[in-house]
Amino acid sequence: MKRGEIAQHVTRGAFFLAVEKAAALVSGMVYFALMLRWLGPTNYGMLTLALAIVGLASISTGNLEAFL
């Protein structure tokens, strides 16, 4: 591979990674906005609390399941 060819591949990869990150951000925002409208404030708060508890529990295991 030539020097310019490698740079072209790297910039193309960086561009697609940026597009993927932007798409994930926008779709996540739309998902949570729709979920809030659908569930309402009380049920959405309960869902958020449940997700926070699950997140803390998964952090406390230290990804032990990945090593099993």
Side-chain angles (χ1 to χ4, degrees), residues 6-33:
I6 293 174
Q8 183 181 12
H9 287 293
V10 169
T11 54
R12 182 181 300 155
F15 171 74
F16 284 123
L17 282 174
V19 167
E20 186 252 337
K21 290 285 187 183
L25 178 69
V26 170
S27 66
M29 288 172 40
V30 169
Y31 170 76
F32 281 112

